[in-house]
Amino acid sequence: MFDPDRFVDEAVKDLKEQIKGKALIACSGGVDSTVCAVLANRALGENLYALHVNTGLLRKGESEEVKKLFEQLGIKLYYLDESGRFFEALKGVVDPEEKRKIIGELFIRIFEEFAERHGIEYLIQGTIAPDWIESGDELRETIKSHHNVGGLPENIKLKIVEPLRDLYKDEVRKVAQYLNLPISERQPFPGPGFAIRVVGEVTREKVEIVREACSIVEEEIEKASESGKMERPWQYFAVLIPVKTVGVHGDKRAYGYTIAIRAIDSVDAMSGSFSRVPYDVLDRIATRISNEMGDKVTRVVYDITNKPPATIEWE
Amino acid sequence: MVTRIFVIDNGGQWTHREWRVLKYLGVDARIFPNNTPFDKLVEEGVDGLVLSGGAPRIGLKEELGRCAEYLDRADFPILGICAGHQFIARHFGGEVQPAEVPEFGKVEIIIDAKHPIFKGLPKKSIAWASHNDEVTIVPQDFVILAHSESCRVEAMAHKERAIVGLQFHPEVEHTEYGAQIFENFIEMCKE
């Protein structure tokens, strides 16, 4: 079985051996990058620079939570708001692979700028097994280019170090539990954020809508699981489908977007079955989304495909 | 001595999962690309081989790295999964064709014949599959071990040699008795 104690010892030792000098770690606040940051902090101490980039594509209140978390961990966190650059780069882009690559490259450029200012040579990434498996290689098909692997540009000035490469999420969670991290059970959130939960072109308006809808899905599903109505799924979120349909709101015609609810059970993200969310929970989510979002959303649907044939995220 | 089982990587999405399941079961597991020479595997002390799945369409293609060489020369057990299974069928004179009904995701496996690989499994169980092609004609030296509603050959085994093919994926978390199947394969490798 997987032994987190041994893994931590070996990973810290490896990081010490591999990294001579300063290293940067980009922290989203998720399980993978936070575990990496704690390991790297043990290995490198003051030579570690933790950076949180606000892409404008993050969950509600995310950046504030990351700041709090790192204060709790006692790791100094640098913060950059780069949302303007991300929206600018994504303008007019529809293809999901292109979106992922644009975001992967922009992240790297921002890291390089930061690294140059601080004389940093290494970049530590929280890449886990599904990221490189699905990104493809000489032998493997590309299913989707994860921003931190398949989305990387060819010319990178930083040396990349990936201590979690051979682990799956359930193993990373075990390491997080072993390290007593409060975020060990957080649901996964993709690096490209809401850019891949808005199907098609990404705009600030659409991201606002899906962010709000996602927060309602999270709230309601967490409430229902805490009260014992259902098991908390592996992942649960909203996707904006850029298809407008007709509704009737207070005797008036409404014409708004479609929101898909996705809730899926998995252990390692490599296979999954859609969650049997009780109808009354779905009902409450649909009602809240339509009421709270006015005529921006006129229809809510539930995704009932497993992985395979579908993937967890829509893009 | 610890059992050494190597996973031959044919580029599958779940190759690394096969490695993980074997590792969890206490085996010395390693992944090798499918162009690794047979002698290299012997040099490394191989006790058993898993031929992973992968995107290549075996129904349409004749080769799968050096898998033919492994099948011809091995005196240890071989477990082929998905594309690995299809390649075994084709290599020993069977046939692989695009499936009339491809299977993606959940399938019910029904066991038809007894074999060490299915020791301890009930007649029916849930497994995860993901394939466009399937074995349509089983080679002469093989017997069918299991089927599903839309796939006649979910599992097959060589009549004399320790070679087994599975169309479904025992390494996937969602396959009910996946770990049991790997344990059974490890037992075969120890003998």
Side-chain angles (χ1 to χ4, degrees):
Chain A
M1 285 311 273
F2 180 69
D3 179 359
D5 181 11
R6 214 175 104 193
F7 177 81
V8 168
D9 283 350
E10 283 174 9
V12 171
K13 202 176 117 230
D14 287 349
L15 283 167
K16 275 186 185 159
E17 274 169 22
Q18 280 179 62
I19 299 178
K20 303 282 172 231
K22 294 178 181 174
L24 161 65
I25 178 150
C27 303
S28 66
V31 188
D32 307 337
S33 60
T34 307
V35 163
C36 265
V38 172
L39 296 177
N41 187 46
R42 285 192 184 182
L44 309 173
E46 280 183 357
N47 274 334
L48 180 73
Y49 287 72
L51 170 67
H52 174 68
V53 176
N54 184 355
T55 57
L57 304 163
L58 301 173
R59 275 181 287 206
K60 226 177 161 178
E62 188 96 73
S63 291
E64 293 317 307
E65 276 184 40
V66 181
K67 286 180 194 165
K68 255 189 262 161
L69 171 67
F70 275 73
E71 230 177 86
Q72 237 178 302
L73 296 173
I75 300 174
K76 185 180 173 188
L77 185 72
Y78 292 81
Y79 171 81
L80 291 173
D81 183 350
E82 298 281 11
S83 50
R85 279 168 84 178
F86 279 90
F87 281 109
E88 187 55 37
L90 289 166
K91 215 178 246 176
V93 182
V94 172
D95 179 68
E97 277 299 287
E98 210 181 314
K99 284 193 213 172
R100 285 173 170 274
K101 287 183 177 156
I102 286 171
I103 290 169
E105 167 148 23
L106 188 48
F107 264 126
I108 291 293
R109 298 301 168 232
I110 291 166
F111 299 158
E112 284 173 346
E113 291 162 17
F114 181 87
E116 211 176 299
R117 287 200 294 275
H118 295 276
I120 297 168
E121 249 186 282
Y122 296 87
L123 170 65
I124 301 171
Q125 295 207 115
T127 307
I128 61 173
D131 300 341
W132 61 262
I133 293 172
E134 294 194 333
S135 289
D137 50 38
E138 305 86 38
L139 270 174
R140 238 168 303 282
E141 289 271 303
T142 300
I143 306 302
K144 48 180 75 167
S145 299
H146 289 258
H147 72 291
N148 51 346
V149 185
L152 295 179
E154 275 171 24
N155 53 331
I156 302 176
K157 290 176 196 149
L158 294 157
K159 293 179 196 142
I160 293 179
V161 180
E162 298 174 323
L164 309 181
R165 222 184 128 75
D166 269 332
L167 303 193
Y168 291 86
K169 190 69 90 182
D170 56 315
E171 295 168 319
V172 183
R173 287 198 205 288
K174 287 196 182 115
V175 178
Q177 288 157 8
Y178 171 78
L179 296 170
N180 273 323
L181 302 183
I183 44 78
S184 65
E185 309 314 309
R186 272 196 98 178
Q187 64 160 323
F189 186 70
F194 286 121
I196 56 159
R197 288 184 182 170
V198 169
V199 174
E201 192 187 353
V202 180
T203 62
R204 277 190 191 265
E205 184 219 357
K206 286 183 199 157
V207 168
E208 281 311 318
I209 295 172
V210 77
R211 176 183 287 134
E212 205 50 49
C214 204
S215 136
I216 293 170
V217 172
E218 289 182 14
E219 260 177 55
E220 290 303 325
I221 287 196
E222 277 158 22
K223 207 163 63 187
S225 357
E226 272 154 31
S227 68
K229 238 184 207 171
M230 58 179 285
E231 289 255 338
R232 195 167 72 100
W234 153 271
Q235 220 172 328
Y236 39 99
F237 54 90
V239 177
L240 185 144
I241 311 173
V243 168
K244 287 196 164 183
T245 69
V246 175
V248 49
H249 291 184
D251 294 333
K252 285 181 79 150
R253 174 190 163 95
Y255 191 53
Y257 290 119
T258 307
I259 288 287
I261 303 167
R262 179 71 157 149
I264 191 155
D265 299 320
S266 179
V267 166
D268 56 10
M270 292 306 290
S271 61
S273 48
F274 77 85
S275 310
R276 271 58 174 176
V277 178
Y279 276 157
D280 61 325
V281 178
L282 288 173
D283 188 346
R284 186 153 166 80
I285 293 172
T287 305
R288 271 194 66 191
I289 290 178
S290 344
N291 290 359
E292 290 175 29
M293 318 223 30
D295 56 5
K296 289 180 189 138
V297 177
T298 40
R299 204 161 296 268
V300 179
V301 298
Y302 188 50
D303 181 354
I304 53 165
T305 26
N306 297 330
K307 172 181 182 173
T311 55
I312 294 175
E313 299 283 349
W314 278 40
E315 292 199 326
Chain B
M1 218 179 68
V2 66
T3 311
R4 286 206 174 124
I5 300 182
F6 299 157
V7 178
I8 297 299
D9 187 3
N10 290 314
Q13 287 293 306
W14 292 319
T15 303
H16 190 268
R17 274 275 338 176
E18 288 152 11
W19 171 78
R20 169 177 160 166
V21 176
L22 287 166
K23 196 178 59 155
Y24 272 34
L25 293 172
V27 166
D28 181 1
R30 283 156 67 183
I31 300 176
F32 286 92
N34 67 4
N35 59 3
T36 309
F38 180 79
D39 292 336
K40 167 82 178 159
L41 302 177
V42 174
E43 231 170 79
E44 300 287 338
V46 60
D47 294 313
L49 216 52
V50 173
L51 308 181
S52 86
R57 300 287 303 271
I58 302 302
L60 317 169
K61 243 183 101 170
E62 266 179 42
E63 290 207 351
L64 191 62
R66 291 190 183 231
C67 287
E69 188 187 342
Y70 311 147
L71 289 166
D72 287 339
R73 295 180 61 192
D75 57 1
F76 44 78
I78 294 184
L79 173 65
I81 295 173
C82 199
H85 150 80
Q86 294 166 7
F87 182 78
I88 292 173
R90 193 163 171 155
H91 182 73
F92 287 100
E95 214 170 273
V96 178
Q97 296 286 342
E100 223 166 278
V101 185
E103 295 176 308
F104 307 117
K106 192 193 267 186
V107 291
E108 188 181 49
I109 303 295
I110 302 144
I111 295 178
D112 300 310
K114 262 183 103 166
H115 190 277
I117 197 76
F118 287 147
K119 202 177 145 200
L121 263 72
K123 187 164 173 62
K124 290 181 178 181
S125 66
I126 297 299
W128 233 237
S130 190
H131 61 110
N132 288 298
D133 300 337
E134 67 181 30
V135 175
T136 47
I137 298 175
V138 174
Q140 257 187 359
D141 293 336
F142 281 71
V143 283
I144 295 177
L145 297 183
H147 72 279
S148 70
E149 193 186 353
S150 49
C151 175
R152 204 171 58 88
V153 190
E154 282 289 353
M156 61 174 196
H158 197 287
K159 288 175 187 161
E160 279 132 36
R161 293 176 62 191
I163 299 176
V164 178
L166 303 176
Q167 182 55 70
F168 62 94
H169 289 268
E171 70 278 22
V172 172
E173 192 69 36
H174 281 78
T175 296
E176 264 185 302
Y177 292 92
Q180 179 69 50
I181 292 171
F182 274 101
E183 271 183 58
N184 293 340
F185 182 64
I186 294 169
E187 280 310 307
M188 287 168 64
C189 295
K190 281 181 179 166
E191 275 162 21

